Amino acid sequence: MDQLKASIGDTYLYLQAFLEMGPDVRTGEEWLAFLPGFREKLAELAFELDAELVPIGEQTAEREALELERIEETRREGERKIREILDNLIENYFTLDFDFRFTDVNSQALAYLGKQAEDLLGKSIWEVYPASKGTYVEENYLRVLETGEPIHFELRSLSVQRWADVHVYRTGEGLAVFFSEITERKAAE
């Protein structure tokens, strides 16, 4: 159990070290370079969680149940810490699966979009924003999925009446979209 808590702490420190690099270093490309190491840490943590679930010796069902409860609580605490860090990123971000369904969105993106998580998660971006279907937004997302090459573009969102600087990257699960508001800059141009 102590080793498991240490692993969760290591994973948290790894993510925190990345965030301490500063907002100008934390662009989408650095995030994607960071992700493999972070995923490796999470995989190690999952392996240790599995190892903790193997009963040792002649434990009673009650003791096993208590141990499983402690392990689950430790896992939830680790997830909470990671979610807290992701929610505190300076940039807005969301992820889409290969069917363009929202799989994750941070609180900054929710505020920018004027949505609640339940309005987006599990739903297709084209269902939530039908006016974007068939536009250069869809073309860019498809291009990133097909080529694996990141893309950068500016977008004037009609739904929120703001401009955004958008970076899109392919991930193992679909797309990662990072964006920041540039409305003031566009107004000055």
Side-chain angles (χ1 to χ4, degrees):
M1 181 58 80
D2 290 336
Q3 184 179 359
L4 181 60
K5 287 181 181 177
S7 292
I8 289 173
D10 288 347
T11 304
Y12 175 76
L13 291 174
Y14 184 77
L15 185 55
Q16 191 171 24
F18 173 75
L19 293 174
E20 288 172 357
M21 290 182 196
D24 23 330
V25 176
R26 291 192 316 255
T27 66
E29 289 176 24
E30 282 82 6
W31 175 249
L32 287 180
F34 163 80
L35 266 178
F38 183 61
R39 285 191 177 135
E40 185 177 306
K41 291 275 186 199
L42 289 178
E44 289 171 11
L45 185 60
F47 178 78
E48 290 178 26
L49 279 171
D50 286 345
E52 288 283 336
L53 294 175
V54 176
I56 300 171
E58 294 290 321
Q59 294 181 346
T60 65
E62 184 178 317
R63 182 177 168 131
E64 286 179 23
L66 288 172
E67 191 65 21
L68 286 173
E69 189 177 312
R70 278 192 290 248
I71 290 167
E72 181 61 21
E73 180 58 36
T74 302
R75 184 192 61 76
R76 279 193 303 267
E77 178 63 16
E79 286 178 355
R80 186 196 62 74
K81 286 180 180 180
I82 291 166
R83 177 86 251 154
E84 182 180 314
I85 290 172
L86 291 174
D87 277 344
N88 288 315
L89 286 174
I90 302 297
E91 275 192 290
N92 304 297
Y93 89 95
F94 60 84
T95 55
L96 301 171
D97 65 16
F98 290 112
D99 293 321
F100 299 101
R101 288 185 305 254
F102 286 93
T103 56
D104 195 15
V105 59
N106 74 349
S107 57
Q108 286 82 344
L110 290 171
Y112 177 92
L113 298 169
K115 300 281 186 187
Q116 298 294 316
E118 56 270 8
D119 298 334
L120 302 176
L121 295 176
K123 295 180 181 159
S124 164
I125 192 168
W126 316 127
E127 176 187 341
V128 178
Y129 299 106
S132 295
K133 182 89 170 133
T135 68
Y136 72 100
V137 173
E138 182 180 26
E139 289 173 19
N140 285 331
Y141 287 1
L142 287 170
R143 185 176 305 128
V144 172
L145 284 178
E146 290 169 7
T147 67
E149 295 293 316
I151 199 163
H152 169 249
F153 60 95
E154 293 180 348
L155 166 70
R156 181 170 183 270
S157 173
L158 298 176
S159 62
V160 294
Q161 297 298 311
R162 297 182 195 168
W163 281 91
D165 184 50
V166 182
H167 295 264
V168 185
Y169 305 89
R170 183 177 175 151
T171 69
E173 293 79 32
L175 296 173
V177 181
F178 294 82
F179 63 99
S180 52
E181 184 171 356
I182 57 168
T183 306
E184 288 180 20
R185 187 191 88 199
K186 294 300 277 185
E189 290 179 353

